[in-house]
């Protein structure tokens, strides 16, 4: 991977605020030509620095107003069992984010659902039917204070 310089980092800050900003405007802001900005963006995409260009959707605005954080502990921590759990969580549309973590628990999930009855159905399908789930603990978000995907560059 090519090391990021100050121009790359400035471009990333602008794109994280609004990835629809024209390359001309980015170039003016960072003192580069639009073609130079385009080359840098393409390089960062090819190298995986820019992982995706997506629209960030407010879950509540599309009928998924409940965000739930779930700590999950597995019965078996054999690599094949961990990999199987990762795949189940990846495949579940309700799971917005999943983290394999250190400590007493194995995973932390961010789950978005339309209702508590939908979450109950999710738990039955994902946790109770899975013999490798030892226990799970649920935390329901009351107010999303800060959310997002921006990183400090």
């Amino acid at each position: 991977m090519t090391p990021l310089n100050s121009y790359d980092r400035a471009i990333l800050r602008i794109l994280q605020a609004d990835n629809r900003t024209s390359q001309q405007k980015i170039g003016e802001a960072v003192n580069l030509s639009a073609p130079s900005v385009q080359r840098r963006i393409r390089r960062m995409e090819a190298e995986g620095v820019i992982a995706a260009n997506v629209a960030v959707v407010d879950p509540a605005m599309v009928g998924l107003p409940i965000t739930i954080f779930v700590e999950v502990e597995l019965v078996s921590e054999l690599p094949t069992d961990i990999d199987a759990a990762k795949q189940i969580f990846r495949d579940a549309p309700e799971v917005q984010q999943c983290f394999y973590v250190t400590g007493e628990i194995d995973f932390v999930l961010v789950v978005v659902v339309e209702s508590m009855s939908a979450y109950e159905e999710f738990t039955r399908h994902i946790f109770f039917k899975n013999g490798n789930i030892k226990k799970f603990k649920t935390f329901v978000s009351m107010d999303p204070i800060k959310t997002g995907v921006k990183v400090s560059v």
Side-chain angles (χ1 to χ4, degrees), residues 6-18:
S6 61
Y7 291 112
D8 298 325
R9 292 176 186 281
I11 291 168
L12 289 171
R13 284 191 291 275
I14 293 167
L15 290 176
Q16 285 187 105
D18 182 359

Side-chain angles (χ1 to χ4, degrees), residues 16-61:
Q16 285 187 105
D18 182 359
N19 77 340
R20 295 180 302 169
T21 304
S22 73
Q23 293 170 359
Q24 181 67 37
K25 285 191 179 191
I26 294 171
E28 291 169 3
V30 302
N31 202 26
L32 288 172
S33 68
S36 179
V37 168
Q38 180 183 38
R39 282 191 300 276
R40 288 170 181 273
I41 291 172
R42 283 192 180 151
R43 186 194 81 239
M44 290 188 284
E45 288 172 338
E47 292 178 352
V49 174
I50 297 174
N53 288 292
V54 299
V56 178
V57 176
D58 181 337
M61 297 299 287

Side-chain angles (χ1 to χ4, degrees), residues 17 21 23 26-27 39 43 46 49 56 71-72 77 101 115-116 119 137 141:
T21 304
Q23 293 170 359
I26 294 171
R39 282 191 300 276
R43 186 194 81 239
V49 174
V56 178
E71 295 178 349
V72 180
E77 294 184 41
V101 299
S115 64
M116 288 308 291
Y119 179 65
K137 187 174 183 180
S141 172

